[in-house]
Amino acid sequence: MPDAPEDDYVDHPIRSYVRTGGRARPTHRLTPATLLIGHTSPRATSVGRQEREVLSQCRGVISMAEMAAHLGQPVSVLAVIASDMIDAGLIGVRPDSDTAAGPSRETLQKVLHALNHL
Amino acid sequence: MLSTTSDGNHYLAPTVVESVKILVVGSFGVGKTTLIGSVSEIEPLRTEETITQASEGIDELEATPKKTTTTVAMDFGRITLTDEIALYLFGTPGQRRFWDLWSGLAEGAAGALVLVDTRRLADSFEVLDQLETRTSLPFVVAINQFPDAPSYEPDQIRTALDLDDETPIVVCNAKNRNACVRALATLVRHALKTR
Ligand SMILES: Nc1nc2c(ncn2[C@@H]2O[C@H](COP(=O)(O)OP(=O)(O)OP(=O)(O)O)[C@@H](O)[C@H]2O)c(=O)[nH]1
Ligand SMILES: [Mg+2]
């Protein structure tokens, strides 16, 4: 890939900046296909409205793209909020979801097998 | 506004630990959203990003370079393929000016399904060009056969689109689930060959 990962989804930095209280880019690689998961007992912290909205969508395993669509926000904006929430221990990610290296051969074989039997 | 769905499909199964994505690219109106809807287990969803970029010319009042703001929508769907793996299909317009937006999507993707309308073959040149020059993604060309479209032999399409001999070409019908699933399987088989 010619572009560095930090260029992803930050194409309207000004709007993101305003909506996310000053932070313009996420520290985690959170793509539309990244799977988020709520912790069963999130650390007790007082959270703001945006964080509460995210938590309300995190009662199971859900992709960034789905959450963004449900919340009516661009993925780029959600990525900044969710990234901070991961750092704060409020939500987690499935580490094997949408890795930068792409799916393994073994995973692709499973995908093909499943498609052939749909 | 929260859309609280009670259809039980809001979340993936808790056993899902891995996601794989495929890009569905093609020029406007070629059938991307239709294809995604045909195979997705959820109603296709949409997110939007705003891109601001310099455009041609000078703003006459401000005497500064003009900027245009474009909203780019991305439609997507998902299929839970095994207890552990969910497949995501992302539909994006593949044109050059949207590259910033879909470059992030391309990273880590299993491959791209390029939908082509034979009535407007030239519209696909730019999309194919972007894929070939800016990514190393394996891709398959899927002819979305509209009823009133001329039908060509795959070899004619290969020549017209200047495709490698290795690039699979399949005839598809974006409205038909089985045809779409077969096209996706062809892509994954091709991806396995190229690595
Ligand atoms: N008959 C027929 N019509 C189709 C087929 N695929 C798409 N259409 C129609 O073509 C139109 C455009 O399809 P979409 O799926 O919206 O295309 P798209 O690529 O998502 O379009 P944009 O997102 O606007 O770029 C719709 O009216 C579809 O109903 C097909 O395989 N057969
Ligand atoms: Mg569409």
Side-chain angles (χ1 to χ4, degrees):
Chain A
M1 298 294 304
D3 286 323
E6 66 255 33
D7 287 340
D8 299 352
Y9 303 105
V10 288
D11 24 60
H12 52 105
I14 293 169
R15 273 175 58 190
S16 307
Y17 190 83
V18 171
R19 282 200 227 170
T20 53
R23 298 170 306 281
R25 48 183 56 195
T27 50
H28 295 268
R29 180 180 178 272
L30 297 174
T31 78
T34 300
L35 301 180
L36 301 177
I37 181 156
H39 292 314
T40 39
S41 50
R43 271 191 237 162
T45 43
S46 57
V47 296
R49 184 183 56 83
Q50 287 179 318
E51 287 78 11
R52 274 201 308 280
E53 280 182 2
V54 170
L55 288 175
S56 75
Q57 297 287 321
C58 246
R59 304 207 172 102
V61 180
I62 187 168
S63 66
M64 284 282 297
E66 280 164 280
M67 187 181 292
H70 294 318
L71 295 176
Q73 286 190 348
V75 171
S76 58
V77 171
L78 176 61
V80 178
I81 301 164
S83 185
D84 284 353
M85 291 178 71
I86 293 165
D87 289 337
L90 292 167
I91 55 172
V93 284
R94 291 284 200 229
D96 287 337
S97 59
D98 191 24
T99 56
S104 67
R105 225 190 136 72
E106 192 195 350
T107 296
L108 282 181
Q109 269 155 352
K110 288 181 192 166
V111 167
L112 180 58
H113 184 264
L115 285 172
N116 283 335
H117 292 84
L118 267 187
Chain B
M1 274 300 299
L2 299 182
S3 64
T4 35
T5 48
S6 52
D7 59 7
N9 231 351
H10 195 87
Y11 295 110
L12 291 158
T15 51
V16 174
V17 289
E18 202 171 347
S19 58
V20 174
K21 70 188 171 193
I22 285 176
L23 308 192
V24 179
V25 294
S27 52
F28 290 113
V30 77
K32 301 179 292 292
T33 306
T34 305
L35 181 143
I36 290 166
S38 294
V39 293
S40 177
E41 67 195 17
I42 55 171
E43 276 295 309
L45 291 167
R46 157 175 296 226
T47 64
E48 290 180 349
E49 297 281 340
T50 313
I51 44 177
T52 306
Q53 52 200 175
S55 65
E56 309 275 297
I58 301 282
D59 187 304
E60 286 172 13
L61 288 175
E62 303 270 338
T64 50
K66 272 188 190 160
K67 286 205 173 156
T68 52
T69 302
T70 318
T71 301
V72 189
M74 172 180 81
D75 290 314
F76 65 95
R78 74 163 197 240
I79 322 170
T80 303
L81 287 178
T82 74
D83 287 349
E84 297 185 343
I85 303 172
L87 176 66
Y88 280 86
L89 301 176
F90 292 103
T92 55
Q95 283 84 350
R96 186 175 300 123
R97 66 183 184 282
F98 301 135
W99 170 254
D100 280 351
L101 211 66
W102 66 287
S103 64
L105 267 185
E107 185 187 64
L113 195 62
V114 185
L115 272 179
V116 167
D117 180 346
T118 51
R119 296 167 303 183
R120 304 180 285 124
L121 274 182
D123 288 2
S124 305
F125 294 164
E126 191 176 334
V127 177
L128 287 165
D129 189 52
Q130 292 294 291
L131 267 179
E132 285 172 345
T133 59
R134 304 184 80 159
T135 80
S136 52
L137 286 184
F139 65 89
V140 163
V141 168
I143 310 295
N144 192 18
Q145 189 66 54
F146 286 83
D148 56 334
S151 93
Y152 297 99
E153 293 300 317
D155 273 348
Q156 293 175 286
I157 300 287
R158 189 178 302 283
T159 307
L161 295 179
D162 192 21
L163 298 172
D164 287 347
D165 288 346
E166 290 73 37
T167 303
I169 301 174
V170 296
V171 178
C172 189
N173 171 353
K175 292 187 167 177
N176 181 290
R177 180 170 183 266
N178 282 338
C180 298
V181 169
R182 276 199 306 276
L184 291 172
T186 303
L187 172 59
V188 176
R189 212 175 298 120
H190 181 56
L192 274 164
K193 254 185 232 159
T194 56
R195 59 166 62 200

